[in-house]
Amino acid sequence: MRKVLSIFSIMAMLLLIINNRAPVEASSSQGNKMEDAVPIHLDQEYEGTLETTVDVNYYRFNLDKAGNTVLRFNRAEGATWNVEITDQEGHPYTHFFTRNHSGVTGYEEVSIGLPAGEFFIKVSTEEDKSKGVPYTFIVQQTVNDFYEKEFNDKAEAASAIKINRAYKGQIQTHDDIDYFTFTLNRANNVALSIDRYAQGSWNIKLVDENGKEYVDLDTDYHFAEYGPDEERLDLPAGTYYVRLENN
């Protein structure tokens, strides 16, 4: 029997343990510029407010090791916030708007692979109803190597992955593209597997270093409850790239 190698999977769920400590309130007189960003710690919930639609709050946090970072930010009926995670130069790793429709509850959650270093959270709003409404957020991290490493939106910046490991990633925006790369030292039968998502579809392509396409797959959200989409094929030795984007 030929050996089957599983090269990639996006996991659909991340289990977080949220502590029950009261939120820490950041002073509204601080953090209006990146250089004055309020220092925050992982695993601690923080609270803040925006007083006007031109007000901006900045926070900074440090990661001692690379890993998968999760930002959870509350939703509020009628109020919406624009939230970004950036590097020291202000380049965004991810950004999102919180939902504010009638009856909304819970949190927006974004998961992203970040290297060790210093990072910033920028909070702003364009909605008058957001003025003076408290928001809360928490940043957590899982330290491991099995995640997408931003910025990986070009083949030359592809995140390296290993055979027979499941990796977690997330398309951050509608036009985000994620690249991963792996190498086969000899010809093998390969299984390329990706979780289905009930609320959307991804396109996944597998190409070699010369651009030859081996897989062009659209995940089928109609059958999300039946497990991942999978392609099995024979591949020669060489370097390959996995390209993922919204469908």
Side-chain angles (χ1 to χ4, degrees), residues 19-34:
N19 62 62
N20 292 319
R21 290 180 291 178
V24 174
E25 183 176 359
S27 171
S28 60
S29 63
Q30 297 178 351
N32 299 126
K33 299 179 181 179
M34 180 175 282

Side-chain angles (χ1 to χ4, degrees), residues 204-232:
I204 182 169
K205 289 182 171 66
L206 175 65
V207 301
D208 66 16
E209 55 193 328
N210 298 314
K212 180 180 178 180
E213 187 175 288
Y214 288 86
V215 173
D216 184 356
L217 171 68
D218 295 325
T219 61
D220 193 337
Y221 61 89
H222 294 102
F223 299 98
E225 70 269 28
Y226 297 113
D229 272 307
E230 185 175 284
E231 289 277 351
R232 292 173 179 255

Side-chain angles (χ1 to χ4, degrees), residues 17 19 21 39-46 60-65 68-71 114 117 119 121 137-143:
I17 300 175
N19 62 62
R21 290 180 291 178
I40 62 172
H41 301 285
L42 299 180
D43 302 316
Q44 171 66 58
E45 191 172 49
Y46 289 85
R60 73 173 76 221
F61 64 95
N62 286 282
L63 299 177
D64 295 330
K65 297 181 180 180
N68 190 70
T69 300
V70 175
L71 170 61
L114 294 175
F119 301 92
I121 297 172
F137 68 94
I138 186 171
V139 181
Q140 297 186 305
Q141 186 197 38
T142 301
V143 177

Side-chain angles (χ1 to χ4, degrees), residues 85-141:
I85 299 178
T86 77
D87 62 15
Q88 294 174 324
E89 304 299 324
H91 301 133
Y93 283 95
T94 186
H95 66 271
F96 61 92
F97 290 92
T98 62
R99 282 170 278 186
N100 65 345
H101 57 270
S102 177
V104 71
T105 59
Y107 291 83
E108 305 293 350
E109 182 178 297
V110 63
S111 176
I112 185 171
L114 294 175
E118 184 178 49
F119 301 92
F120 294 81
I121 297 172
K122 178 183 177 182
V123 183
S124 61
T125 187
E126 299 176 358
E127 176 60 59
D128 282 337
K129 292 182 179 180
S130 304
K131 295 186 295 187
V133 177
Y135 61 77
T136 60
F137 68 94
I138 186 171
V139 181
Q140 297 186 305
Q141 186 197 38

